[in-house]
């Protein structure tokens, strides 16, 4: 779904690669771990330590990869379409292999991963179906696909993913709204079934991290995590 009818802030909007290319240098100073890493830690159906091979789709600067490695994932591959973000991940060294490219056509071996992860990415995809199809192709029998997303509720309140180009100059990155039912439809089309879903809300932990959001959006859902399972 097009984000524009929901837009309340009307920031300049740039395409994904241009946006993350600019944001890469300061991305890690601004992204909030409560949004995604807390949700990864809150999942109960994934035994990270038993994951031998994982792939991190849209790995960005490697934040997710660092978390996964610390959680016990053994071998990890990553892909991202923005060279500047990928370069940061390369320097971080959490991934064993990194590739520049689109997450819908990774070129990684099919059926080779017991874990596929993508975090804070789906709102940038116009269509979820190629993501779910590629995740399904990559999964080994019995594997899990973990998707962490910025909540559609927040997008529908008018707040696109954005960064400050310079102080007081916010820029939005092209965003799309996907309802939970869009995820279910894309997953079911490739034979994935939901094993677990949790949501993150702006709770007291946000008070010191993003005080303006805490004051304005307290108790609103801000992110979600889904665990999809294939057959076997
Ligand atoms: C918000 S960052 C998240 C990165 C990382 N998961 C993290 O948590 O820090 C979004 C990333 O998705 C990447 N991205 C967006 N669309 C993509 C696509 N179709 N294929 C590959 N990477 C994509 C961007 O380049 C950016 O690095």
């Amino acid at each position: 779904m097009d984000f524009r009818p929901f837009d309340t802030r009307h920031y300049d909007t740039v395409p994904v690669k241009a946006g993350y290319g600019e944001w890469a240098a300061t991305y890690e100073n601004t992204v909030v771990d409560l949004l995604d890493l807390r949700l990864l830690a809150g999942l109960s159906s994934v035994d990270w330590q038993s994951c031998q091979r994982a792939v991190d789709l849209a790995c960005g600067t490697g934040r997710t990869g660092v978390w996964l490695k610390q959680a016990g994932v053994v071998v990890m591959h990553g892909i991202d379409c923005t060279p500047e973000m990928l370069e940061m991940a390369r320097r971080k060294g959490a991934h064993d292999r990194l590739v520049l490219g689109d997450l819908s056509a990774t070129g990684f071996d099919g059926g080779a991963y017991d874990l596929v992860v993508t975090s804070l990415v789906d709102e940038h995809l116009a269509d979820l179906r190629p993501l779910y199809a590629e995740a399904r192709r990559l999964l080994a029998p019995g594997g899990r696909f973990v998707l962490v997303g910025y909540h559609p509720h927040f997008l529908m309140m008018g707040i696109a993913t954005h960064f400050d180009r310079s102080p007081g100059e916010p820029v939005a990155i092209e965003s799309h709204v996907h309802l939970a039912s869009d995820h279910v439809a894309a997953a079911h089309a490739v034979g994935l079934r939901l094993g677990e879903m949790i949501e993150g809300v702006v709770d007291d932990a946000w008070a010191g991290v993003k005080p303006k959001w805490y004051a304005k959006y307290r108790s609103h859902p801000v992110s979600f995590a889904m665990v999809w399972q294939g057959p076997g």
Side-chain angles (χ1 to χ4, degrees):
M1 211 188 306
D2 191 350
F3 167 72
R4 283 171 298 183
F6 301 105
D7 193 359
T8 56
R9 297 191 169 184
H10 306 292
Y11 298 152
D12 273 354
T13 300
V14 295
V16 168
K17 285 187 209 175
Y20 281 102
E22 268 193 72
W23 193 5
T26 55
Y27 175 76
E28 295 216 358
N29 304 333
T30 44
V31 69
V32 175
D33 290 354
L34 293 170
L35 205 53
D36 56 338
L37 302 186
R38 180 167 68 164
L39 292 194
L40 287 175
L43 291 171
S44 58
S45 64
V46 185
D47 178 6
W48 309 103
Q49 291 184 345
S50 71
C51 295
Q52 290 299 312
R53 282 169 65 84
V55 59
D56 181 6
L57 298 177
C59 61
T61 56
R63 279 176 68 248
T64 314
V66 168
W67 189 91
L68 291 169
K69 269 275 158 101
Q70 284 170 354
V73 170
V74 180
V75 171
M76 194 165 40
H77 296 168
I79 185 165
D80 200 280
C81 68
T82 306
E84 294 87 345
M85 295 290 276
L86 200 68
E87 180 51 32
M88 308 284 279
R90 248 185 242 295
R91 281 187 230 158
K92 210 165 262 161
H95 298 83
D96 300 279
R97 182 178 172 204
L98 282 170
V99 170
L100 180 66
D102 196 279
L103 57 74
S104 62
T106 62
F108 294 146
D109 291 343
Y113 299 91
D114 40 27
L115 176 68
V116 177
V117 175
T118 194
S119 180
L120 303 180
V121 179
D122 72 283
E123 85 269 25
H124 297 310
L125 308 175
D127 183 354
L128 292 176
R129 289 171 296 184
L131 164 66
Y132 276 89
E134 183 64 357
R136 174 71 183 88
R137 187 188 72 79
L138 293 167
L139 279 181
R144 303 276 191 276
F145 172 38
V146 174
L147 184 148
V148 180
Y150 179 50
H151 207 289
H153 171 75
F154 246 71
L155 283 162
M156 292 166 105
M157 288 198 303
I159 310 160
T161 299
H162 62 280
F163 65 99
D164 280 350
R165 178 173 277 158
S166 59
E169 196 191 345
V171 179
I173 300 181
E174 192 178 307
S175 298
H176 305 269
V177 178
H178 302 295
L179 301 179
S181 56
D182 297 325
H183 287 270
V184 171
H188 281 195
V190 293
L192 294 173
R193 290 289 178 273
L194 190 61
E196 182 180 4
M197 178 174 177
I198 58 176
E199 291 171 293
V201 299
V202 179
D203 59 14
D204 290 346
W206 286 76
V209 180
K210 261 188 162 307
K212 284 189 194 160
W213 277 26
Y214 182 66
K216 195 163 177 191
Y217 304 117
R218 193 168 174 187
S219 299
H220 284 266
V222 66
S223 57
F224 66 96
M226 292 165 160
V227 181
W228 298 97
Q229 298 168 204

